[in-house]
Amino acid sequence: MVGGIVKALPDGWFVVHGASAETRWEALADAGYFVPNDRFFVRNHTATPVIDAAGWRLRVHGAGVREDCSFGYGEILEMPAVTVDAAIECAGNGRVLFGEQQGTPVPGVPWRLGGVGVARWRGVPLVEVLRRAGLSPEAVDVLPSGLDAPYVCEGIDYGRVRRPLPIAKACDDVLLAYEMNGEPLPPDHGFPVRLVVPSWVGVASIKWVGDIEVSAEPLFSPWNTRFYRMFGPDHPPGGGPPLTAQGVKSAFELPWDAVLPAHRTLVLRGRSWSGAGRVVRVEVSTDGGASWERARLRGPRPAAGWVRWRYTWRSPRPGAHTLLARAADETGGTQPGYMPFNVHGYMFGAVVSHPVRVVRA
Ligand SMILES: Nc1nc2c(c(=O)[nH]1)N[C@H]1C(S)=C(S)[C@@H](COP(=O)(O)O)O[C@H]1N2
Ligand SMILES: [Mo]
């Protein structure tokens, strides 16, 4: 167990950042549409708890439900199930690029672009469980808490990882998931049950859920007050609203500083995604942004997942080069050249300059 993560973290698949592990994009080059469970990134505030499903119960309580009740693992498995293909992406994905690309480094897990993955999740719609607890029309917020240890940082104990979810989102497309890509949730990804909040920042998708409070008034936790909001000179004094939907991003399925042969016809592959809807167009530039050409989109394009693409490149003479990819989604969302700074380095959505070294073949 490295840094509190149960699964193996082979160097070819992951870059380990303390208690979290980032998927290497080149590890997706031979993967299918979904990120296999053993290659999926892990973001832990503390450490993966090992939970016995037989003794686990999910408690649902608060002024927004009729009764304080609880459900066992078997009861959850017997409820009507649905399947959702969705990305989970850390709000800090791309954080290191605030420093590397824009010259304004920020503290926090130094993700490049591998703090994201798409899986096929299966479970019960959260609304189904809330209804069984007697959901009231007065309900305002839903607060799921994780069973991992309280999060302590710089001497401050923030308590268990928990983040209020507005009732409208909770009743829309949120899943209480117990399966990931056809297998029971692996321990690192929330066994026995986690939330999957499609299209929203990853922190909304609370793992190892043990308790859900449904309130009749707005709820607060450090994860919607102190963290996961935008602070800084380009944002409102006192911070922006709690982060919800993710932006648009693109990545090449290549190592950072990939070594590629000169004067060859190469097929560059990548993936693009957006929290606002389907990606409809991806363009690639191999001349530093002077000209752009369409990449060919292929395969499935679920609203909350990503799309895979390819682009044929006649590689140039040996030397250092930069590859750029930018996507547009169905709502008109795109990737800018520059991302305004925020103190925590969230939501780096600018076009990424991916360095490659072209060498004599
Ligand atoms: N209980 C709990 N839930 C959690 C976290 C955590 O540390 N504890 N991390 C959150 C964050 S910040 C992210 S990005 C996602 C990551 O999900 P994954 O580790 O399955 O990739 O889980 C979220 N849910
Ligand atoms: Mo995250």
Side-chain angles (χ1 to χ4, degrees):
M1 189 142 142
V2 176
I5 296 175
V6 170
K7 71 183 176 186
L9 301 171
D11 194 46
W13 288 350
F14 292 101
V15 181
V16 177
H17 303 297
S20 300
E22 153 162 27
T23 305
R24 289 185 191 271
W25 269 91
E26 61 269 38
L28 300 187
D30 66 348
Y33 181 81
F34 299 106
V35 177
N37 295 355
D38 54 5
R39 300 185 205 184
F40 207 97
F41 85 99
V42 180
R43 162 58 165 130
N44 281 353
H45 282 73
T46 58
T48 296
V50 178
I51 297 170
D52 172 17
W56 172 89
R57 290 193 76 77
L58 174 64
R59 179 175 170 227
V60 182
H61 62 101
V65 288
R66 194 170 48 239
E67 51 184 343
D68 188 327
C69 57
S70 74
F71 305 92
Y73 188 57
E75 287 173 276
I76 300 267
L77 298 191
E78 277 166 21
M79 293 182 194
V82 296
T83 293
V84 176
D85 296 345
I88 290 190
E89 181 182 19
C90 190
N93 195 26
R95 175 179 286 126
V96 82
L97 297 159
F98 277 104
E100 288 184 357
Q101 197 166 304
Q102 301 192 164
T104 51
V106 279
V109 181
W111 309 107
R112 186 157 280 127
L113 282 176
V116 61
V118 174
R120 172 160 290 176
W121 309 96
R122 185 176 154 83
V124 194
L126 177 59
V127 64
E128 173 75 27
V129 176
L130 300 182
R131 280 209 193 103
R132 287 177 192 228
L135 182 60
S136 145
E138 315 285 290
V140 170
D141 275 340
V142 172
L143 180 62
S145 300
L147 291 169
D148 41 342
Y151 175 58
V152 179
C153 183
E154 289 166 358
I156 303 171
D157 184 343
Y158 294 100
R160 293 193 189 272
V161 178
R162 62 199 190 285
R163 189 178 200 248
L165 198 58
I167 190 73
K169 179 68 174 173
C171 292
D172 178 13
D173 57 356
V174 176
L175 203 62
L176 262 176
Y178 47 76
E179 254 181 50
M180 180 178 182
N181 294 323
E183 294 165 18
L185 274 184
D188 297 309
H189 299 290
F191 184 85
V193 169
R194 81 174 300 166
L195 249 56
V196 172
V197 181
S199 308
W200 280 31
V201 287
V203 69
S205 294
I206 295 295
K207 305 192 275 189
W208 316 294
V209 183
D211 180 291
I212 297 179
E213 177 184 352
V214 186
S215 69
E217 55 197 44
L219 293 177
F220 300 94
S221 89
W223 286 270
N224 75 340
T225 56
R226 189 181 168 114
F227 311 121
Y228 301 97
R229 295 171 56 211
M230 300 288 213
F231 296 94
D234 295 320
H235 299 283
L243 294 177
T244 57
Q246 288 280 11
V248 190
K249 284 199 192 66
S250 302
F252 290 92
E253 293 169 6
L254 285 173
W256 202 250
D257 287 322
V259 175
L260 300 173
H263 309 300
R264 290 285 166 82
T265 301
L266 305 175
V267 178
L268 305 175
R269 291 189 182 77
R271 306 181 190 223
S272 298
W273 62 100
S274 165
R278 285 180 179 78
V279 167
V280 292
R281 192 176 70 244
V282 178
E283 295 165 311
V284 169
S285 175
T286 58
D287 58 9
S291 65
W292 294 86
E293 276 183 67
R294 289 272 186 119
R296 202 141 41 87
L297 309 189
R298 59 192 187 110
R301 239 187 276 185
W306 49 27
V307 63
R308 293 203 280 168
W309 46 261
R310 54 174 76 193
Y311 176 83
T312 305
W313 187 35
R314 184 68 199 168
S315 62
R317 63 181 186 287
H321 294 270
T322 296
L323 302 176
L324 309 177
R326 68 179 182 199
D329 68 32
E330 58 186 338
T331 70
T334 55
Q335 297 189 249
Y338 176 86
M339 199 63 193
F341 170 84
N342 71 89
V343 167
H344 292 304
Y346 296 133
M347 301 185 111
F348 186 88
V351 177
V352 173
S353 299
H354 190 125
V356 297
R357 268 187 300 132
V358 174
V359 298
R360 208 169 305 280

